Amino acid sequence: MKLLPVSLNVSGRRCVVFGGGPVAARKAQSLYECGAQIIAISPQFGDEWHDLPSEIRREARVYAAGDCAGAMLIFACTNNREVNQQIADEAREAGIWCNIADAPESSDFHSAATVRRGEIAISIATGGSFPLLARHLRHKIETAIGLEYEVLLEIVALRRAELPSKLAAQSDRAEFWREVLNGPALPLLREGKRAAAEQMIDNFFDSLNSE
């Protein structure tokens, strides 16, 4: 099953997670990290929930008709397949995307295993058929892409607006950024030498004025 990769803005949006186990806890944590307004509904919440942020609202009860109303996304993660299907049916009737933990083939969307480096997000999906492989690949990527990329993005974001006035053509700006990426900035950041990396990039910027 081929899926369309998308990145959703859930900041401030109501998202409902049904279930109180580890799968539901992971979904709630991911939503919280993206700024969603989360409501978790389950008769019981496992130990995994103890360390989750208090901003994640928890309602200790069973699913009831109408719980999906007003949500942007629904996660049906209970341990009861029939209840999960009832939740999915309500969500679809209301035109809301629903992820069904125990029926990925019937889900409207899947959560991908994600590596985050600040604003950088790299997601790996297997169509819901092999989540363990997605997590394995995520660990591989985590070792290859370190925190230096997060810092580089911070540095670049502060200077990017100035570049069009120095290089009018998009192709020239693309070539400039390729030079930055292939230069010494990343190795310096990998060694924790942010000031030196910033100075190198600033010198590169300044050199444009003399060309």
Side-chain angles (χ1 to χ4, degrees), residues 35 37 45 56 63 69 79 84 86 90 94 98 108 117 121 140 146 153 155 162 169 181 198 200:
Q37 181 188 85
F45 292 93
I56 298 175
Y63 156 74
N79 58 7
N84 284 344
Q86 290 173 359
E90 179 186 331
C98 181
D108 298 310
R117 296 289 183 260
K140 291 278 189 182
L153 184 59
I155 295 171
E162 303 174 28
L181 288 171
E198 289 191 271
M200 186 278 299

Side-chain angles (χ1 to χ4, degrees), residues 127-138:
S129 60
F130 199 174
L132 187 61
L133 175 59
R135 290 196 290 272
H136 172 78
L137 293 173
R138 182 191 66 198

